Amino acid sequence: MTVEKFIPNQTTTLETPVKVLEAGRQQAGENTSSNPAAKIGFVSLGCPKNLVDSERILTQLRTEGYDVVPTYNDAELVIVNTCGFIDSAVQESLDTIGEALAENGKVIVTGCLGIKEDEIREVHPNVLAITGPHAYESVVERVHEHLPKPVHNPFEHLVPDHGIKLTPRHYAYLKISEGCNHRCTFCIIPSMRGDLVSRPVGEVLDEAKRLKAAGVSELLVISQDTSAYGVDVKHRTGFWNGMPVKAHMQQLCEKLGELDMWVRLHYVYPYPHVDDLIPLMNEGRVLPYLDIPFQHANKRILRLMKRPGSAERTIERVKAWREACPELIIRSTFIVGFPGETEEEFEELLDFIREAQLDRVGCFAYSPVEGAKANDLPDPVPEHIKQERLARFMEVQSEISAARLKQRIGKEYLVVIDSVDAEGAVGRTYADAPEVDGVVHLNGVHDVKPGDRVWAEIIHADQHDVWGVISPEDDEALDDETTA
């Protein structure tokens, strides 16, 4: 139900990796004093998929004994993991590289924008090295060239077996594949990350099991195309815990559902086999939450985008899913102002969202990112019209959002706590993915900590968030804990 303008800035600052590492050391009872040498600063930009890449790089660096520091001045070298999805993301990446160079002087660039080395060096010729996305080994090799490995005692500098995570302890992203086989005309991700490469199913499930052992209670399953998992290996059969498991979305979800965790699915294409996931949601094995980027409703625009589906079939499937699983939450994203989009076609999109009544919606105006095939299409929409359509879209969806959130008032939900501040606790229900959806405000509640789960009754709602009060049973339990 959150209505949002797409903003690519999902930055983890220099301080974030350090806070995560320090918290892990304290929990393990380690000495938290900094390593006297080989200090690295790290900035991660872009989407959760990029965040997972950052986690893997940091895990390897920490394994080798490098320390991660929170300021440019303390770092002997800075790594910037870039995003290059749309023009504003490219500019943010270039600005961040420039800031790191100005403040530190020694910068290695990696990530999606790294495939455009000439473009980066034209603006910032003094970067030490540039690598592309998910090039973990190459990044570490470039670090070795400019900052040799420190003298390392693995018994003093331990790395947990689940690796370094840049998310709070109670949730984590689980990336199941790299790349994408689609060639959407507005997207350049395949040229950056390549075609679909699925991870072995046993490896994915092993990582999920390690994350649970480390205290993670919510898995956010991600990839460029989650529902295509295993297509590249023809759904090859692997083994986990001595049992055969196919590299297929449904079987993966079935096994993840046995771990007794919240399992949330992101970036799902509406393939027919998505219908088979609905019973798993009804049974409580995975969360009744689907993140499906529909992008548009008009058939002609979808063909120009090289996207599947049509408004009529999508509405039918949404209705069928909700009939089978009434608690289902559907999140989607849309593009307005695509080249050639007429006023009538835009109005068709507005009619679609009014009828579909989607729970969570993100929208952004078409951005002619360099290399996208759609840039060659005739009749580009003027920028002022794109922005006007974006505002109208958001206005309609805001009304839908407010109405749907209002329906939660008086109902009780299990809420996972994400943070606690002076005003009280802030958490999420099964309907709320971190960072991209709304939250539950529990004003005045302080006797909880991140990762706790409490039952709360919803008493108020606006267009984005809801407010709740702790249910009597949980309130008594919290009082007992405080007294004890």
Side-chain angles (χ1 to χ4, degrees):
M1 284 162 249
T2 301
V3 185
E4 63 200 28
K5 179 178 178 180
F6 182 84
I7 300 174
N9 188 344
Q10 296 185 31
T11 307
T12 59
T13 64
L14 282 165
E15 292 87 355
T16 301
V18 179
K19 290 177 181 177
V20 173
L21 287 166
E22 290 299 312
R25 290 168 176 166
Q26 290 172 3
Q27 191 172 36
E30 292 182 49
N31 185 341
T32 59
S33 60
S34 294
N35 190 359
K39 295 180 174 64
I40 290 176
F42 200 104
V43 181
S44 181
L45 306 173
C47 67
K49 295 178 283 294
N50 226 34
L51 188 71
V52 173
D53 292 347
S54 296
E55 291 172 342
R56 291 182 180 178
I57 295 168
L58 282 168
T59 296
Q60 183 59 37
L61 292 173
R62 281 294 297 143
T63 300
E64 296 184 358
Y66 290 93
D67 204 2
V68 184
V69 294
T71 66
Y72 289 119
N73 289 337
D74 292 334
E76 298 173 68
L77 180 152
V78 177
I79 300 172
V80 180
N81 191 6
T82 60
C83 178
F85 178 53
I86 59 176
D87 287 347
S88 55
V90 170
Q91 189 59 53
E92 181 193 20
S93 295
L94 292 173
D95 289 347
T96 302
I97 295 167
E99 178 184 86
L101 282 168
E103 297 292 332
N104 182 275
K106 296 181 178 180
V107 178
I108 291 175
V109 177
T110 187
C112 290
L113 190 60
I115 67 164
K116 299 181 179 180
E117 182 169 354
D118 292 344
E119 182 176 332
I120 294 173
R121 291 201 180 276
E122 182 179 347
V123 181
H124 301 300
N126 296 325
V127 296
L128 298 178
I130 299 173
T131 73
H134 55 83
Y136 320 118
E137 294 180 359
S138 295
V139 176
V140 174
E141 288 172 1
R142 300 294 87 74
V143 172
H144 292 165
E145 292 174 4
H146 299 282
L147 188 60
K149 288 185 183 182
V151 177
H152 176 46
N153 184 338
F155 296 101
E156 292 181 359
H157 305 102
L158 301 177
V159 175
D161 62 359
H162 63 279
I164 304 301
K165 292 294 174 185
L166 298 179
T167 49
R169 184 170 180 263
H170 58 283
Y171 69 81
Y173 293 103
L174 181 67
K175 189 194 285 191
I176 62 174
S177 65
E178 293 284 1
C180 182
N181 287 342
H182 295 283
R183 295 297 182 266
C184 302
T185 59
F186 56 82
C187 182
I188 59 172
I189 293 298
S191 66
M192 294 178 172
R193 293 183 171 264
D195 289 337
L196 177 72
V197 179
S198 299
R199 294 177 62 193
V201 65
E203 180 182 303
V204 173
L205 291 168
D206 280 341
E207 181 179 350
K209 190 174 180 179
R210 289 194 300 271
L211 289 169
K212 180 181 179 180
V216 171
S217 57
E218 178 179 2
L219 292 174
L220 297 102
V221 179
I222 59 170
S223 66
Q224 298 298 332
D225 178 3
T226 297
S227 44
Y229 175 67
V231 167
D232 56 312
V233 294
K234 299 181 179 179
H235 303 301
R236 178 186 301 149
T237 298
F239 288 87
W240 186 63
N241 286 349
M243 298 295 292
V245 185
K246 284 188 176 182
H248 186 279
M249 189 61 196
Q250 182 180 350
Q251 290 203 18
L252 175 64
C253 287
E254 288 173 353
K255 291 301 179 182
L256 291 174
E258 295 175 4
L259 295 177
D260 191 26
M261 306 167 74
W262 277 10
V263 177
R264 190 183 300 277
L265 305 179
H266 285 279
Y267 315 121
V268 176
Y269 271 67
Y271 299 139
H273 68 256
V274 173
D275 297 353
D276 299 328
L277 301 178
I278 304 302
L280 298 179
M281 296 177 178
N282 239 350
E283 296 165 8
R285 299 172 72 177
V286 299
L287 292 181
Y289 181 104
L290 277 176
D291 177 0
I292 301 181
F294 292 124
Q295 305 297 11
H296 212 280
N298 175 264
K299 286 183 179 179
R300 188 182 77 88
I301 295 297
L302 286 170
R303 283 198 299 270
L304 291 175
M305 290 179 169
K306 291 194 175 179
R307 295 285 299 183
S310 68
E312 295 82 3
R313 289 200 301 272
T314 299
I315 291 294
E316 289 174 4
R317 295 188 73 191
V318 167
K319 288 181 178 178
W321 290 339
R322 284 176 170 160
E323 287 176 5
C325 183
E327 301 302 314
L328 177 65
I329 297 296
I330 301 176
R331 173 180 177 78
S332 191
T333 52
F334 295 88
I335 298 173
V336 297
F338 190 79
E341 181 190 60
T342 65
E343 177 63 23
E344 291 75 16
E345 290 166 338
F346 173 69
E347 287 287 351
E348 184 179 338
L349 175 58
L350 294 184
D351 290 341
F352 170 81
I353 63 172
R354 290 188 184 103
E355 185 173 1
Q357 293 285 300
L358 301 177
D359 301 278
R360 306 290 193 190
V361 171
C363 182
F364 59 96
Y366 174 75
S367 175
V369 62
E370 183 181 350
K373 296 292 186 182
N375 297 341
D376 299 329
L377 293 173
D379 304 318
V381 178
E383 187 62 31
H384 74 278
I385 294 180
K386 287 194 285 188
Q387 295 304 320
E388 183 262 344
R389 288 177 181 173
L390 176 61
R392 287 164 60 194
F393 181 101
M394 293 176 70
E395 182 179 1
V396 171
Q397 183 59 32
S398 291
E399 295 173 359
I400 296 170
S401 174
R404 292 188 70 80
L405 284 174
K406 190 176 180 180
Q407 295 173 8
R408 296 195 193 178
I409 295 176
K411 297 180 181 179
E412 290 190 355
Y413 293 88
L414 185 62
V415 177
V416 59
I417 305 299
D418 282 337
S419 63
V420 183
D421 56 25
E423 292 187 3
V426 178
R428 297 174 292 107
T429 71
Y430 79 92
D432 315 308
E435 304 295 336
V436 294
D437 292 334
V439 297
V440 181
H441 298 277
L442 299 173
N443 292 347
V445 176
H446 296 93
D447 299 328
V448 292
K449 60 184 183 300
D452 285 350
R453 295 187 181 186
V454 297
W455 284 94
E457 179 184 346
I458 306 304
I459 59 171
H460 177 69
D462 65 11
Q463 295 175 348
H464 305 287
D465 302 333
V466 297
W467 281 254
V469 293
I470 298 294
S471 299
E473 296 82 359
D474 269 350
D475 208 5
E476 291 174 9
L478 290 175
D479 287 341
D480 290 343
E481 286 182 16
T482 303
T483 303

